[in-house]
Each structure stands twice: as C-alpha cells, then as structure tokens.
Amino acid sequence: MFGGVEAFFDTSAYLPHGVCLFWRPEILTLHIVSDVLTGLSYYSIPVALLYFVLKRRDVAFTWIVWLFAAFILACGTTHFFSLWTLWYPDYAVEGIVKALTAMVSVLTAVALWVQMPKALALPSATQLADANGALQREIEIRRQAELRYASFFNNLAEGLFVVTVLPDGDFAFDTLNPAHARATGIDPETIRGRLVREAVPPETAKAVIERYSACVAASGPIDYEETLDLPVGRRTWHTVLVPVRGAEGRVVQILGSSRDITDRKRLQEELVQTSKLATLGTLAAGMAHEMSQPLNIIRIWAENALSRLRDGDTDTARLDKVLTIMSEQAERMGRIIDHMRTFSRRDGATQRFDPAASVRSSVELVTNQFALENIEVLSDVPAIDCVTRGRPLQLEQVLVNLLSNARDAILEWRADPDGSPAAGRIAVGMRCDLTAGRAVITITDDGGGIDPDILPRIFDPFFTTKEVGKGSGLGLSIGYGIVDSMGGRIDAANVTHDDGSRGVRFTITVPVSHPSVQDVERAHA
C-alpha cells in the first residue's frame, strides 16, 4: 500500500513543465507574472469577502459567501502550483489540489443554482429605495396622526385616561390627559406605570378595579356613574370604558372617559326633593283632615273625662278607657307625623330594600285623603320577600305621584255636573317573580285614559296635560329617571275595564333578588 502511495507521488519519471517551454526566459516570465498576480488576486478576494460578511451580519446567504471564498482560494492555490511545476514535476500533488478545487467548485455551482430563486426574490436596490420611500411616507403619516391624537388627547375638555391590562389580570395606569388631571387632582407622572391598587387609596382602588374587570369580562364598552374620594374631594363621575385588544386578541388596554357630574347630580337631587315636597304639599289638605280626626277624638274624650271629674265621678275603669283611647289616637298622630317627616327628608345612599314596603307606605299615605273625595284605593300586595337596590323613599315618591295623577284624572273625568266628585277607583297591585328576577308594580285608574297621540310624550320633561299653574310637567319625568336609575323601567297604557270604563295603567318593573338573612332581619326590625 505504501509502495503504491510512494509510486503515486514519485516524480523521477517526470520532467518539470519548464522543459516544455524550452526554458525560454520571456515565456517563463509571462507564466510566472500571470500566475503570481492571479494567485494573489484569488487570495485577496476571499479575504475581502470574509471581511464584508463579518462587518455586515445582515447579509443574506452568508454560507454561500463562505463557499465562494473557499472556491476562489482553491483556484488561487492551483495557480501557485502551476508555477511550482515549472521547476518541480509534482504533478500528483497538483492534481490533488485541482481535485479539491473541482469539488469546491461543484458544491458552489450546485448551491448557487439551488438558491437562485431565493436570490432573484431579493429586492433590488431600486425596489429597496421605493420601499424605503413608502416607509418614510407611512412614518410621516403616522407621526402626523400621533400629533393629532396627542393634540386631541391633551386639549379635550373631557377627562380621558388609559389603563394597561397586565397579563396576570392586574391593572396599571398608563396616562391621563390634562383635563382629567385637573378634575381629579392626580399628577399623571406620579401614577404612570404604577398598579392601580398601589396608586390610589384602597377603597377607590377596589371600586375602579371592579369596573375595569367588568369591562374586560364584557369585552365591550360599559358606562356607569360612580362617586370616588380623590385629591380634589368626593366627586361623582359618569365614566365610559372601552376595551382595546392586542394582536393576539387579548384586552391589553382600557380607554376611559370621565365627566364630572357632581353639580348635575346635586341639581337632580334638588329637583327630586322639590318634586317630593310639591307632592307632599298636594296631600297636605288630606293630611290635615287625617290629623284633625284623632285630635277631635282626644279633645272630645278629654272634655268628657274632665266633666265627669268635676262632677265627682271618678270611675277608674272609665278613666282607664278614656286614657287608652287618647293614647291610641296620639300614637296614630305620631305615626302620621313620622311618615310625613320620613317622606319629606332627603334620600340617603342606595340600599337593598323591599319594594313592597314602599308600595304599602304609598297607599297608606293617600288612602284616607282619597276616601274624602269618594275615590277608593284598592291594594293587592302579597307578602313575598324580595329585595331591590335603590332609594326606598324615591320609589315611594314615584308611586305617590302616580296615585296623585290618577286622583286628578278621576276628579276631572268623573265629576258630576253639580261639581261633586263621582265615585272613582284606583287599583294598586304588585307581583314579585324571583325566578325572572323582577317585581312588577301596577297602578290602574278609571279616569278616562290619555289621548293616544300624546301618550308617548307623557314622560318628556315639562310636558303636562293639566291646566296652567296646576302642573309643572316634571313629575313623570323625574319618576322615569328614578326608576331608570334602579335598572328598571316604567310604562303607561290605556286600559278598558270590565264595566266599560276606561283609564290608564302605569307599570313599573324593577330588578329583584332573594333577600339575604341581613335583609330579612332589617325588614323585621
């Protein structure tokens, strides 16, 4: 084996290539200069290619550049071996170098043709310039859009804020516009990037995080009213939240807008209170009569007892009876006064309460007075425990106003020619459907009904069918707003009774639920 290798590399049988050139100096010089320059150039080109690749890491097909460098280096080596064989006939070694060069050349050629489609797909310098120009234009358009957005965000009078929804479901403040900063007293720089639960007081954080979570769960806009304690004080806001989705479809931000409605809410409360007092004033005459009855009874029995005492009659049993009657009547007066005082006071915060209690109180408040005007109030309120959320006195105000309107309609519609009121009837009913989660309260009169053309307008502010000076047109509008704030609705429709008489039925629907143990204990207390 070794003999074969030695024989392969044995040069004793060969002549150097210079012999073929007869050692002519001019020909040898030509070959030497040409091969040296070519070999040096071939050695320089790979170095340049490798330097370029090392400096430009973003060049595509880097491995082909390395393959080209190896191919060119091998070609340069063959030129140097051509010089060598002019004097030394090492043709076997030269053949091996050429064989390696051939292998690298074939690999380079194959790789080049395989990658040709991809190379042709690369954008040309012109295409890159066009793309770069288009990109610059798009950047300018987006920059202008961002400037417009920033101008809108910073100059809008309404408060705007952005909340980031973190991957773990927590919330962090992103930014808020100057209007919101002024309205809340919060410095945007102090809260930017901070978790909501760390940036604001615990009670405020709990309230707003609950709303943010509801917005994410709803996957759509939500709006609500809330009262928060902020650096500027306790304020009421109407807030709209809009979820913003990322590329993967997850809600990544919440865009919010808030408007300070503290003054408007205060005016609304004043209007509701004024309407309530106006309703109470309407009932004042009946209340005075109702109060006069127990007062007369007390006076009569007191005079009777005083007369007997002056005559020397000290019957203990009779005195006990007289004092008991007087005590009962005084207690009755106390209940009437307490009810009037409760009804006239300002409402507190929303709470869970039994709507049936408000219905019964409303009926009790007007029954005796309406009876003086020959109007019967029929009540059908079953003893079913259910609760709703709102302000009980406001619901009672709505019911009293509807009952007063029904009385006015009956007095106007059914009055006799001689001016005396004819008999009228108002039916108050309620049913509580816990399965459907709603309570339905109805007030039906027989006062002739409402013109179908104006029926759709009766809840509009300042719209009234009464004579000038007898109605402000705000009662039904305020009532509509109160029921709506409870998440319910109020409707009106003309009805025809079994006896052929006509009237109006108002239907109030409010959401209800099963009462908790605390609600039951509070109701019985």
Side-chain angles (χ1 to χ4, degrees):
M1 176 180 179
F2 291 104
V5 173
E6 291 178 358
F8 181 78
F9 288 101
D10 184 18
T11 62
S12 60
Y14 304 114
L15 294 173
H17 194 231
V19 175
C20 298
L21 303 178
F22 300 107
W23 302 106
R24 292 178 58 180
E26 67 278 11
I27 297 178
L28 287 173
T29 301
L30 179 61
H31 278 271
I32 291 170
V33 173
S34 299
D35 284 331
V36 168
L37 292 177
T38 303
L40 290 175
S41 298
Y42 276 9
Y43 272 44
S44 175
I45 292 172
V47 174
L49 289 175
L50 296 180
Y51 178 79
F52 178 78
V53 170
L54 292 175
K55 291 297 183 179
R56 288 290 302 273
R57 299 287 185 177
D58 58 337
V59 174
F61 309 116
T62 304
W63 62 275
I64 291 183
V65 176
W66 284 86
L67 197 58
F68 261 102
F71 158 66
I72 296 172
L73 190 62
C75 289
T77 305
T78 60
H79 281 277
F80 284 118
F81 261 95
S82 295
L83 291 175
W84 179 263
T85 54
L86 285 176
W87 289 278
Y88 304 98
D90 292 325
Y91 297 120
V93 178
E94 183 184 21
I96 292 174
V97 172
K98 288 184 177 182
L100 293 174
T101 302
M103 292 174 59
V104 175
S105 301
V106 171
L107 289 175
T108 304
V110 172
L112 182 61
W113 282 107
V114 170
Q115 297 298 323
M116 185 63 70
K118 294 182 179 180
L120 292 174
L122 292 175
S124 65
T126 303
Q127 291 174 320
L128 288 175
D130 293 341
N132 186 61
L135 181 60
Q136 292 297 327
R137 288 191 295 273
E138 183 176 352
I139 291 174
E140 181 61 22
I141 291 173
R142 293 196 176 188
R143 190 180 69 84
Q144 294 295 332
E146 289 179 357
L147 290 175
R148 288 194 297 271
Y149 166 76
S151 176
F152 170 80
F153 186 81
N154 293 325
N155 296 313
L156 189 67
E158 187 168 353
L160 297 177
F161 60 92
V162 180
V163 176
T164 299
V165 183
L166 301 177
D168 61 358
D170 211 342
F171 302 94
F173 285 116
D174 187 318
T175 186
L176 59 155
N177 70 342
H180 200 49
R182 290 191 299 270
T184 59
I186 298 175
D187 182 5
E189 298 302 325
T190 62
I191 66 169
R192 181 174 288 114
R194 295 181 59 189
L195 295 177
V196 173
R197 52 187 169 83
E198 297 176 353
V200 295
E203 291 186 3
T204 302
K206 180 181 178 181
V208 298
I209 287 176
E210 182 180 349
R211 300 294 189 178
Y212 298 161
S213 300
C215 178
V216 173
S219 294
I222 64 171
D223 69 289
Y224 54 92
E225 292 181 3
E226 61 182 350
T227 302
L228 301 174
D229 289 318
L230 297 167
V232 295
R234 190 172 181 83
R235 309 294 290 177
T236 302
W237 306 87
H238 176 248
T239 304
V240 178
L241 300 180
V242 179
V244 179
R245 297 185 179 276
E248 68 281 5
R250 184 180 70 86
V251 176
V252 295
Q253 283 185 327
I254 296 175
L255 176 61
S257 64
S258 289
R259 180 175 298 173
D260 189 346
I261 58 171
T262 305
D263 294 336
R264 190 184 77 184
K265 292 294 290 185
R266 184 173 64 250
L267 291 176
Q268 288 178 344
E269 294 294 336
E270 292 288 345
L271 188 60
V272 169
Q273 183 68 13
T274 301
S275 175
K276 183 189 297 183
L277 295 178
T279 301
L280 191 61
T282 303
L283 302 174
M287 289 297 173
H289 183 274
E290 191 168 348
M291 293 282 288
S292 67
Q293 286 183 331
L295 279 174
N296 287 332
I297 293 174
I298 292 173
R299 180 180 59 80
I300 291 172
W301 282 99
E303 289 176 351
N304 180 270
L306 182 62
S307 175
R308 287 178 177 273
L309 285 173
R310 288 172 177 172
D311 293 340
D313 186 356
T314 58
D315 185 355
T316 305
R318 185 171 181 83
L319 285 175
D320 180 82
K321 178 181 178 181
V322 170
L323 293 175
T324 299
I325 293 175
M326 293 172 64
S327 176
E328 289 175 349
Q329 295 302 314
E331 183 178 354
R332 177 185 172 190
M333 290 175 59
R335 288 198 304 269
I336 295 172
I337 294 172
D338 287 341
H339 197 172
M340 294 178 66
R341 183 186 298 115
T342 300
F343 181 75
S344 63
R345 74 187 181 191
R346 292 183 180 275
D347 298 284
T350 60
Q351 63 186 71
R352 289 166 60 85
F353 69 96
D354 182 3
S358 295
V359 177
R360 297 189 187 98
S361 296
S362 304
V363 173
E364 180 182 354
L365 192 62
V366 303
T367 297
N368 291 334
Q369 178 189 356
F370 287 9
L372 298 176
E373 298 168 318
N374 205 18
I375 298 174
E376 181 182 12
V377 180
L378 305 176
S379 177
D380 180 16
V381 182
I384 299 178
D385 289 330
C386 62
V387 295
T388 187
R389 174 166 287 278
R391 294 178 171 88
L393 290 179
Q394 285 192 353
L395 179 59
E396 186 174 338
Q397 173 186 353
V398 174
L399 298 173
V400 170
N401 184 69
L402 293 177
L403 291 168
S404 298
N405 288 344
R407 180 202 64 176
D408 294 342
I410 292 172
L411 293 178
E412 181 180 351
W413 177 258
R414 305 176 71 90
D416 288 341
D418 60 1
S420 60
R425 184 176 66 250
I426 301 174
V428 181
M430 174 179 171
R431 68 178 186 275
C432 190
D433 188 347
L434 292 174
T435 302
R438 64 182 182 182
V440 179
I441 305 169
T442 58
I443 297 179
T444 309
D445 63 55
D446 56 358
I450 300 176
D451 187 342
D453 293 334
I454 65 174
L455 188 61
R457 301 173 53 197
I458 61 173
F459 295 107
D460 293 346
F462 303 107
F463 179 82
T464 180
T465 58
K466 297 179 180 179
E467 297 178 8
V468 176
K470 293 187 177 181
S472 64
L474 288 175
L476 290 178
S477 175
I478 292 173
Y480 185 93
I482 291 173
V483 175
D484 182 70
S485 68
M486 296 174 61
R489 69 177 190 273
I490 179 171
D491 303 295
N494 288 317
V495 294
T496 301
H497 300 286
D498 294 337
D499 60 359
S501 61
R502 293 183 294 114
V504 178
R505 174 173 295 148
F506 285 89
T507 304
I508 298 174
T509 305
V510 293
V512 295
S513 61
H514 288 277
S516 63
V517 176
Q518 292 81 358
D519 293 324
V520 174
E521 291 177 350
R522 190 182 303 113
H524 288 295

Short mmCIF file of all heavy atoms in Angstrom, two decimals, residues 113-149:
data_model
loop_
_atom_site.label_atom_id
_atom_site.label_comp_id
_atom_site.label_asym_id
_atom_site.label_seq_id
_atom_site.Cartn_x
_atom_site.Cartn_y
_atom_site.Cartn_z
N TRP A 113 -27.19 27.48 -7.92
CA TRP A 113 -28.41 27.25 -8.70
C TRP A 113 -29.60 26.91 -7.80
O TRP A 113 -30.74 27.28 -8.09
CB TRP A 113 -28.18 26.13 -9.71
CG TRP A 113 -27.40 26.59 -10.90
CD1 TRP A 113 -26.11 26.32 -11.21
CD2 TRP A 113 -27.89 27.45 -11.93
NE1 TRP A 113 -25.73 26.94 -12.36
CE2 TRP A 113 -26.83 27.66 -12.84
CE3 TRP A 113 -29.11 28.08 -12.19
CZ2 TRP A 113 -26.94 28.44 -13.97
CZ3 TRP A 113 -29.23 28.86 -13.31
CH2 TRP A 113 -28.16 29.05 -14.20
N VAL A 114 -29.32 26.19 -6.70
CA VAL A 114 -30.41 25.87 -5.77
C VAL A 114 -30.98 27.14 -5.14
O VAL A 114 -32.20 27.30 -4.98
CB VAL A 114 -29.91 24.89 -4.69
CG1 VAL A 114 -30.98 24.75 -3.58
CG2 VAL A 114 -29.62 23.53 -5.30
N GLN A 115 -30.11 28.07 -4.80
CA GLN A 115 -30.55 29.29 -4.12
C GLN A 115 -30.92 30.41 -5.09
O GLN A 115 -31.30 31.49 -4.66
CB GLN A 115 -29.43 29.80 -3.20
CG GLN A 115 -29.08 28.84 -2.08
CD GLN A 115 -30.25 28.59 -1.14
OE1 GLN A 115 -31.03 29.50 -0.86
NE2 GLN A 115 -30.39 27.35 -0.68
N MET A 116 -30.82 30.12 -6.41
CA MET A 116 -31.10 31.16 -7.39
C MET A 116 -32.50 31.76 -7.25
O MET A 116 -32.67 32.99 -7.29
CB MET A 116 -30.89 30.61 -8.80
CG MET A 116 -31.04 31.66 -9.90
SD MET A 116 -29.79 32.97 -9.76
CE MET A 116 -28.32 32.03 -10.24
N PRO A 117 -33.59 30.93 -7.09
CA PRO A 117 -34.94 31.54 -6.94
C PRO A 117 -35.02 32.50 -5.75
O PRO A 117 -35.63 33.56 -5.84
CB PRO A 117 -35.85 30.32 -6.76
CG PRO A 117 -35.11 29.19 -7.39
CD PRO A 117 -33.66 29.46 -7.12
N LYS A 118 -34.39 32.09 -4.64
CA LYS A 118 -34.42 32.96 -3.47
C LYS A 118 -33.62 34.23 -3.71
O LYS A 118 -34.01 35.31 -3.26
CB LYS A 118 -33.88 32.22 -2.25
CG LYS A 118 -34.74 31.04 -1.80
CD LYS A 118 -34.16 30.39 -0.56
CE LYS A 118 -35.05 29.22 -0.10
NZ LYS A 118 -34.50 28.56 1.11
N ALA A 119 -32.50 34.08 -4.40
CA ALA A 119 -31.68 35.26 -4.69
C ALA A 119 -32.41 36.22 -5.61
O ALA A 119 -32.33 37.44 -5.44
CB ALA A 119 -30.36 34.82 -5.32
N LEU A 120 -33.15 35.65 -6.59
CA LEU A 120 -33.91 36.51 -7.50
C LEU A 120 -35.05 37.21 -6.79
O LEU A 120 -35.50 38.28 -7.21
CB LEU A 120 -34.45 35.68 -8.67
CG LEU A 120 -33.38 35.14 -9.64
CD1 LEU A 120 -34.02 34.21 -10.68
CD2 LEU A 120 -32.66 36.29 -10.35
N ALA A 121 -35.54 36.57 -5.70
CA ALA A 121 -36.65 37.17 -4.95
C ALA A 121 -36.21 38.34 -4.08
O ALA A 121 -37.04 39.13 -3.62
CB ALA A 121 -37.33 36.12 -4.08
N LEU A 122 -34.92 38.45 -3.85
CA LEU A 122 -34.43 39.58 -3.05
C LEU A 122 -34.71 40.89 -3.78
O LEU A 122 -34.53 40.98 -4.99
CB LEU A 122 -32.93 39.43 -2.80
CG LEU A 122 -32.49 38.28 -1.88
CD1 LEU A 122 -30.97 38.21 -1.83
CD2 LEU A 122 -33.05 38.47 -0.48
N PRO A 123 -35.16 41.90 -3.02
CA PRO A 123 -35.45 43.18 -3.67
C PRO A 123 -34.18 43.83 -4.21
O PRO A 123 -33.10 43.74 -3.60
CB PRO A 123 -36.07 44.02 -2.55
CG PRO A 123 -35.55 43.41 -1.29
CD PRO A 123 -35.40 41.94 -1.57
N SER A 124 -34.37 44.49 -5.32
CA SER A 124 -33.25 45.21 -5.91
C SER A 124 -33.03 46.53 -5.18
O SER A 124 -33.84 46.93 -4.32
CB SER A 124 -33.51 45.47 -7.39
OG SER A 124 -34.62 46.35 -7.53
N ALA A 125 -31.95 47.19 -5.54
CA ALA A 125 -31.67 48.49 -4.91
C ALA A 125 -32.79 49.49 -5.19
O ALA A 125 -33.19 50.27 -4.32
CB ALA A 125 -30.33 49.03 -5.42
N THR A 126 -33.34 49.44 -6.41
CA THR A 126 -34.44 50.34 -6.76
C THR A 126 -35.68 50.02 -5.94
O THR A 126 -36.37 50.92 -5.43
CB THR A 126 -34.76 50.23 -8.25
OG1 THR A 126 -33.59 50.53 -9.01
CG2 THR A 126 -35.88 51.19 -8.64
N GLN A 127 -35.95 48.69 -5.82
CA GLN A 127 -37.11 48.30 -5.02
C GLN A 127 -36.92 48.69 -3.56
O GLN A 127 -37.88 49.12 -2.90
CB GLN A 127 -37.32 46.78 -5.15
CG GLN A 127 -37.79 46.34 -6.53
CD GLN A 127 -37.85 44.82 -6.65
OE1 GLN A 127 -36.97 44.12 -6.14
NE2 GLN A 127 -38.86 44.33 -7.32
N LEU A 128 -35.72 48.50 -3.05
CA LEU A 128 -35.46 48.89 -1.67
C LEU A 128 -35.63 50.40 -1.48
O LEU A 128 -36.16 50.85 -0.47
CB LEU A 128 -34.05 48.47 -1.27
CG LEU A 128 -33.82 46.96 -1.05
CD1 LEU A 128 -32.35 46.69 -0.79
CD2 LEU A 128 -34.67 46.45 0.10
N ALA A 129 -35.18 51.15 -2.46
CA ALA A 129 -35.34 52.60 -2.38
C ALA A 129 -36.81 52.99 -2.38
O ALA A 129 -37.25 53.86 -1.62
CB ALA A 129 -34.60 53.27 -3.53
N ASP A 130 -37.61 52.32 -3.27
CA ASP A 130 -39.04 52.60 -3.32
C ASP A 130 -39.71 52.22 -2.00
O ASP A 130 -40.56 52.95 -1.47
CB ASP A 130 -39.69 51.85 -4.48
CG ASP A 130 -39.22 52.36 -5.83
OD1 ASP A 130 -38.70 53.50 -5.87
OD2 ASP A 130 -39.36 51.63 -6.83
N ALA A 131 -39.32 51.03 -1.49
CA ALA A 131 -39.91 50.59 -0.23
C ALA A 131 -39.54 51.53 0.91
O ALA A 131 -40.37 51.84 1.78
CB ALA A 131 -39.45 49.16 0.09
N ASN A 132 -38.31 51.96 0.91
CA ASN A 132 -37.86 52.89 1.94
C ASN A 132 -38.61 54.23 1.84
O ASN A 132 -39.00 54.81 2.86
CB ASN A 132 -36.36 53.12 1.82
CG ASN A 132 -35.81 53.96 2.96
OD1 ASN A 132 -35.89 53.56 4.11
ND2 ASN A 132 -35.25 55.11 2.62
N GLY A 133 -38.84 54.66 0.61
CA GLY A 133 -39.61 55.90 0.43
C GLY A 133 -41.03 55.75 0.94
O GLY A 133 -41.56 56.64 1.60
N ALA A 134 -41.66 54.59 0.61
CA ALA A 134 -43.02 54.34 1.09
C ALA A 134 -43.05 54.26 2.61
O ALA A 134 -43.99 54.76 3.25
CB ALA A 134 -43.56 53.04 0.48
N LEU A 135 -42.02 53.62 3.18
CA LEU A 135 -41.95 53.53 4.63
C LEU A 135 -41.81 54.92 5.26
O LEU A 135 -42.45 55.21 6.28
CB LEU A 135 -40.77 52.64 5.03
CG LEU A 135 -40.57 52.41 6.53
CD1 LEU A 135 -41.79 51.75 7.14
CD2 LEU A 135 -39.33 51.56 6.78
N GLN A 136 -41.01 55.75 4.67
CA GLN A 136 -40.84 57.11 5.20
C GLN A 136 -42.15 57.89 5.14
O GLN A 136 -42.50 58.62 6.07
CB GLN A 136 -39.75 57.85 4.41
CG GLN A 136 -38.34 57.30 4.62
CD GLN A 136 -37.89 57.43 6.06
OE1 GLN A 136 -38.25 58.39 6.75
NE2 GLN A 136 -37.11 56.46 6.53
N ARG A 137 -42.89 57.68 4.04
CA ARG A 137 -44.18 58.37 3.92
C ARG A 137 -45.16 57.86 4.98
O ARG A 137 -45.90 58.64 5.58
CB ARG A 137 -44.76 58.17 2.51
CG ARG A 137 -44.02 58.94 1.42
CD ARG A 137 -44.79 58.92 0.12
NE ARG A 137 -44.90 57.58 -0.44
CZ ARG A 137 -44.00 57.01 -1.24
NH1 ARG A 137 -42.91 57.68 -1.57
NH2 ARG A 137 -44.17 55.79 -1.71
N GLU A 138 -45.15 56.54 5.18
CA GLU A 138 -46.04 55.98 6.21
C GLU A 138 -45.65 56.47 7.59
O GLU A 138 -46.51 56.77 8.43
CB GLU A 138 -45.98 54.45 6.16
CG GLU A 138 -46.94 53.79 7.14
CD GLU A 138 -46.94 52.27 7.04
OE1 GLU A 138 -46.31 51.75 6.10
OE2 GLU A 138 -47.56 51.63 7.91
N ILE A 139 -44.35 56.55 7.84
CA ILE A 139 -43.89 57.07 9.13
C ILE A 139 -44.36 58.50 9.33
O ILE A 139 -44.80 58.89 10.41
CB ILE A 139 -42.35 56.98 9.21
CG1 ILE A 139 -41.91 55.52 9.30
CG2 ILE A 139 -41.82 57.78 10.40
CD1 ILE A 139 -40.41 55.33 9.25
N GLU A 140 -44.30 59.30 8.27
CA GLU A 140 -44.74 60.69 8.36
C GLU A 140 -46.24 60.77 8.62
O GLU A 140 -46.70 61.59 9.43
CB GLU A 140 -44.38 61.43 7.07
CG GLU A 140 -44.77 62.91 7.06
CD GLU A 140 -44.09 63.72 8.14
OE1 GLU A 140 -43.01 63.29 8.63
OE2 GLU A 140 -44.63 64.77 8.51
N ILE A 141 -46.99 59.89 7.91
CA ILE A 141 -48.45 59.87 8.12
C ILE A 141 -48.77 59.50 9.56
O ILE A 141 -49.63 60.12 10.22
CB ILE A 141 -49.11 58.89 7.14
CG1 ILE A 141 -49.00 59.42 5.70
CG2 ILE A 141 -50.58 58.66 7.50
CD1 ILE A 141 -49.48 58.45 4.65
N ARG A 142 -48.06 58.47 10.06
CA ARG A 142 -48.32 58.05 11.44
C ARG A 142 -47.88 59.11 12.44
O ARG A 142 -48.52 59.31 13.47
CB ARG A 142 -47.59 56.73 11.72
CG ARG A 142 -48.15 55.56 10.94
CD ARG A 142 -47.70 54.24 11.50
NE ARG A 142 -48.30 53.10 10.81
CZ ARG A 142 -48.20 51.85 11.21
NH1 ARG A 142 -47.50 51.56 12.29
NH2 ARG A 142 -48.78 50.88 10.53
N ARG A 143 -46.80 59.79 12.13
CA ARG A 143 -46.34 60.86 13.02
C ARG A 143 -47.37 61.98 13.08
O ARG A 143 -47.67 62.50 14.16
CB ARG A 143 -45.00 61.40 12.52
CG ARG A 143 -44.33 62.36 13.50
CD ARG A 143 -43.01 62.85 12.95
NE ARG A 143 -43.22 63.73 11.81
CZ ARG A 143 -43.47 65.03 11.91
NH1 ARG A 143 -43.56 65.60 13.11
NH2 ARG A 143 -43.64 65.77 10.84
N GLN A 144 -47.94 62.33 11.92
CA GLN A 144 -48.98 63.34 11.90
C GLN A 144 -50.22 62.87 12.66
O GLN A 144 -50.85 63.66 13.38
CB GLN A 144 -49.36 63.69 10.44
CG GLN A 144 -48.24 64.37 9.66
CD GLN A 144 -47.89 65.72 10.22
OE1 GLN A 144 -48.72 66.40 10.83
NE2 GLN A 144 -46.63 66.13 10.04
N ALA A 145 -50.55 61.57 12.49
CA ALA A 145 -51.70 61.03 13.21
C ALA A 145 -51.45 61.05 14.72
O ALA A 145 -52.36 61.37 15.51
CB ALA A 145 -51.99 59.60 12.75
N GLU A 146 -50.23 60.72 15.13
CA GLU A 146 -49.90 60.76 16.55
C GLU A 146 -49.97 62.18 17.08
O GLU A 146 -50.41 62.41 18.22
CB GLU A 146 -48.50 60.17 16.77
CG GLU A 146 -48.44 58.66 16.57
CD GLU A 146 -47.04 58.11 16.76
OE1 GLU A 146 -46.13 58.93 17.01
OE2 GLU A 146 -46.87 56.89 16.66
N LEU A 147 -49.53 63.13 16.27
CA LEU A 147 -49.62 64.52 16.70
C LEU A 147 -51.07 64.95 16.87
O LEU A 147 -51.43 65.66 17.83
CB LEU A 147 -48.91 65.43 15.70
CG LEU A 147 -47.37 65.33 15.66
CD1 LEU A 147 -46.81 66.20 14.54
CD2 LEU A 147 -46.77 65.75 17.01
N ARG A 148 -51.91 64.54 15.90
CA ARG A 148 -53.34 64.87 16.02
C ARG A 148 -53.96 64.20 17.23
O ARG A 148 -54.74 64.81 17.96
CB ARG A 148 -54.09 64.45 14.75
CG ARG A 148 -53.78 65.32 13.53
CD ARG A 148 -54.79 65.08 12.43
NE ARG A 148 -54.74 63.72 11.94
CZ ARG A 148 -53.96 63.29 10.95
NH1 ARG A 148 -53.15 64.15 10.34
NH2 ARG A 148 -53.97 62.03 10.57
N TYR A 149 -53.58 62.92 17.46
CA TYR A 149 -54.10 62.20 18.62
C TYR A 149 -53.65 62.88 19.91
O TYR A 149 -54.43 63.08 20.84
CB TYR A 149 -53.63 60.76 18.59
CG TYR A 149 -53.82 60.04 19.90
CD1 TYR A 149 -55.07 59.60 20.30
CD2 TYR A 149 -52.74 59.81 20.76
CE1 TYR A 149 -55.25 58.95 21.51
CE2 TYR A 149 -52.90 59.17 21.95
CZ TYR A 149 -54.15 58.73 22.33
OH TYR A 149 -54.32 58.10 23.53
#
